[in-house]
Amino acid sequence: MSENVVGENVVGENVVGGNGRSERVESPSGGGPSTDVLIVGAGPSGLTLALVLARRGVPFRIIESEDGPRPGSRGKGVQPRTLEAFADLGIVGRILAQGRMAMPMDMISADGGVRRGGDVPAALADRPDIPYPASVITPEWRVEDALREQLARYGRHVEFGTRLVDLHQTAEGVLAQVTAGGATHVVSARWLIGADGGHSAARKLAGIAFEGETREDVRLVIADLPLTGIDRERWRTWQHPRGIVSLCPLPSTDLFQCTATLAPGEEPRLETEHLQEVLEQRSGRTDIRLGEPVWTSVWRANVRLAAHYRAGRVLLMGDAAHIHSPAGGQGMNTGVQDACNLGWKLAAVLADGAPESLIDTYEAERRPVAQHVLAFTDARLAETQRTREFSVKRDESTIQLDVGCRGSRLSVDDRDESSDLRAGDRAPDATGLIAVDGPHRLFDLIGGGVFTLLEFGGAPGQGEQADGIRVLRVVDEPRGEGEIADGDGTLATAYAPTDRTRVLIRPDGCIGVLSDAGDIGVILDCLAAVGIPGPEC
């Protein structure tokens, strides 16, 4: 969309928006702003998308209706798949430093018995294909801080106190009416991304249904607060006939997250005195003393899924597209993965000239994931209601390493359906790889917003990188750039290759093409579909 769409045709004219109203909007000083992507909402999913686009040099703006960064622990569990994405984006070191991996968990029954969990599952420990075997507990505001700080390294910042109030779609893009500082103006964007939470203005203005239910009988009160009387080494949950109360230490702070279920019909009360009474009643302990909360919230069981992730040039992700029980710690993580999937596709369209039909694969790949997450978290919630305890189970069902996009039109392979690894799966990591500059793990060599072509049995001396794609050839002895040796054999274990296998790994870490026959034609077709000329192989 050209800049004069706003500058000449909209500003100062009557605009009919998604709510049917017509009103005159004026340009801010300097003329009507224009951008490729307008991101509405600066939570973890919106910030992740902004960072993916910033890395590729795609013009965007990110607005947030809140006046500043949001407090509160909220989604405090960062799953391994999200840690891999954060490693690629350059912030995992900060997340790990300010969080705690595999926090021990105690489930204390009404008779005082203790069931312990939270350890790294034996099946996931010390595996070269999994760099992060367990989730990390850290307050969500810490995650957002890290994302904003990294975004600032690209010279990009969140526009706080800026609210989407209306939108109008054209053949070329979206005209978004926003308010900031008491003034109203129009932003012209080729794409508008709704990452503005469960009450999403973008979703409502685009007319996308949010299907599901709100259950008033399932509610939690949540408070971040200081306390005395217990150590910070464990996450403790007490069972009681009237409900559950939980105290989770929040790493790199002096606070705990206090969570208590509400009985049907019980009014939520967030005063310190009431929380203290609930804790003493359900834990049987009077030595733990709660301080004044710094943040509180009441959670209701909303289980909803957007009927579509796209309406014209408006796209949804994160809580704007799906909300569900916090059981299993899936919400924030699913939103971050939405952003990783959508981000590389927007960049391919806007920076590489890929056809806009590529954007349709976003909903096709990610909405089924949300459907699965809703079913999974519903089952976990039902278990919690039945047993009156939070699950301490950690396994592959919760860490999202098995989430992929098999069956997508972007996933092509020639392997048997019974094969463990297929196109559409998460590309596994490998350790002990030797390059001319020393040892690496595979995840150190891929990502960065571009495709990677991994070639087994490749000819030496052909490791050059083409625009938008790097080539890694597995050889016995690396002699040039792009050549790697499988020093520990972990690469062969993970990918089970023939001496002709070629693997195309997408920027979001999923396998796009896996050909044991070495079919370069299929790979070139896949790259052409996303606007990238293939390498000479």
Side-chain angles (χ1 to χ4, degrees):
M1 175 179 289
S2 62
E3 293 188 10
N4 64 11
V5 170
V6 169
E8 296 179 5
N9 297 337
V10 175
V11 174
E13 299 294 332
N14 290 330
V15 177
V16 179
N19 56 17
R21 292 182 292 103
S22 176
E23 60 183 78
R24 186 178 178 85
V25 293
E26 298 295 338
S27 165
S29 59
S34 177
T35 188
D36 278 359
V37 181
L38 176 63
I39 305 169
V40 182
S45 56
L47 288 166
T48 298
L49 178 63
L51 198 48
V52 171
L53 297 179
R55 182 169 61 179
R56 289 295 315 277
V58 175
F60 70 90
R61 291 173 64 180
I62 177 169
I63 64 173
E64 168 58 52
S65 61
E66 297 288 339
D67 291 332
R70 300 180 301 169
S73 51
R74 299 191 309 280
K76 63 186 181 298
V78 184
Q79 301 292 0
R81 184 66 173 273
T82 304
L83 291 171
E84 292 176 4
F86 286 167
D88 183 45
L89 293 172
I91 67 167
V92 75
R94 179 169 171 176
I95 300 298
L96 294 174
Q98 295 180 336
R100 183 172 181 185
M101 182 175 287
M103 179 179 288
M105 305 170 69
D106 284 357
M107 179 62 67
I108 305 165
S109 63
D111 62 5
V114 179
R115 184 162 62 90
R116 294 196 157 172
D119 297 332
V120 176
L124 303 177
D126 301 318
R127 283 179 48 174
D129 60 324
I130 300 177
Y132 311 104
S135 61
V136 168
I137 298 298
T138 189
E140 187 171 314
W141 64 265
R142 287 286 195 194
V143 174
E144 293 178 2
D145 273 356
L147 288 163
R148 282 194 304 271
E149 181 181 277
Q150 188 72 348
L151 193 59
R153 296 178 185 273
Y154 290 90
R156 311 307 300 271
H157 303 276
V158 176
E159 299 175 42
F160 286 108
T162 304
R163 181 183 299 275
L164 174 69
V165 295
D166 204 355
L167 64 83
H168 173 71
Q169 296 207 49
T170 72
E172 293 183 315
V174 180
L175 305 174
Q177 186 176 327
V178 303
T179 61
T184 299
H185 61 275
V186 169
V187 178
S188 166
R190 293 178 64 182
W191 299 92
L192 185 146
I193 313 302
D196 48 343
H199 298 288
S200 171
R203 185 189 64 243
K204 294 172 184 176
L205 290 167
I208 300 174
F210 206 29
E211 299 169 345
E213 63 176 347
T214 299
R215 296 178 56 186
E216 292 292 340
D217 63 320
V218 184
R219 296 169 299 159
L220 301 172
V221 293
I222 308 169
D224 292 352
L225 44 70
L227 59 79
T228 59
I230 58 172
D231 60 60
R232 300 180 59 85
E233 295 305 309
R234 311 189 73 81
W235 178 350
R236 296 170 173 88
T237 299
W238 289 269
Q239 297 171 271
H240 187 272
R242 289 190 60 83
I244 302 169
V245 66
S246 175
L247 295 174
C248 177
L250 298 174
S252 71
T253 77
D254 60 357
L255 304 175
F256 284 70
Q257 184 193 75
C258 175
T259 304
T261 59
L262 293 175
E266 181 182 357
E267 287 298 316
R269 294 177 55 190
L270 297 166
E271 304 90 353
T272 306
E273 295 78 9
H274 180 69
L275 294 174
Q276 183 73 45
E277 291 175 8
V278 170
L279 175 65
E280 292 181 7
Q281 178 192 65
R282 299 183 185 183
S283 71
R285 294 182 60 166
T286 59
D287 57 323
I288 304 172
R289 307 305 300 174
L290 304 182
E292 192 70 21
V294 300
W295 173 80
T296 60
S297 181
V298 178
W299 176 84
R300 291 171 174 81
N302 276 297
V303 182
R304 296 183 181 274
L305 179 64
H308 300 285
Y309 280 21
R310 178 181 180 182
R313 290 178 173 271
V314 177
L315 297 152
L316 305 177
M317 65 181 190
D319 286 355
H322 44 76
I323 53 175
H324 44 79
S325 161
Q330 303 294 292
M332 175 181 68
N333 298 276
T334 302
V336 168
Q337 294 301 320
D338 288 345
C340 292
N341 184 293
L342 178 58
W344 78 260
K345 294 171 182 177
L346 283 171
V349 170
L350 295 167
D352 301 326
E356 290 187 353
S357 59
L358 177 65
I359 302 300
D360 292 329
T361 66
Y362 165 62
E363 177 177 332
E365 292 184 349
R366 293 301 300 173
R367 194 170 182 275
V369 171
Q371 290 175 310
H372 170 77
V373 169
L374 263 65
F376 168 78
T377 54
D378 261 6
R380 277 286 181 100
L381 179 61
E383 180 185 359
T384 297
Q385 290 180 285
R386 178 177 56 82
T387 62
R388 293 189 179 276
E389 66 177 44
F390 293 137
S391 175
V392 298
K393 179 182 179 182
R394 283 186 177 134
D395 59 20
E396 291 184 70
S397 69
T398 65
I399 61 179
Q400 298 196 340
L401 296 183
D402 60 348
V403 174
C405 49
R406 287 190 186 186
S408 166
R409 69 177 177 86
L410 298 181
S411 302
V412 182
D413 67 26
D414 53 24
R415 287 195 168 177
D416 185 88
E417 291 185 2
S418 63
S419 299
D420 290 336
L421 188 67
R422 301 285 306 279
D425 293 349
R426 160 192 172 268
D429 197 7
T431 57
L433 305 183
I434 307 300
V436 290
D437 61 346
H440 294 275
R441 63 185 312 143
L442 181 62
F443 280 9
D444 294 337
L445 303 174
I446 67 174
V450 301
F451 282 80
T452 298
L453 178 59
L454 183 60
E455 295 204 327
F456 293 86
Q462 298 179 17
E464 70 281 355
Q465 178 172 319
D467 289 341
I469 179 171
R470 70 172 58 84
V471 180
L472 297 177
R473 289 184 169 85
V474 183
V475 297
D476 292 333
E477 184 178 349
R479 298 181 182 277
E481 182 180 354
E483 297 179 2
I484 55 174
D486 187 11
D488 291 346
T490 60
L491 194 63
T493 299
Y495 288 86
T498 70
D499 59 3
R500 297 176 59 85
T501 296
R502 286 182 163 119
V503 184
L504 184 65
I505 303 173
R506 305 181 344 180
D508 61 358
C510 286
I511 296 174
V513 178
L514 201 168
S515 175
D516 284 338
D519 190 343
I520 191 63
V522 173
I523 290 171
L524 294 176
D525 287 345
C526 181
L527 291 172
V530 298
I532 298 173
E536 296 181 2
C537 298

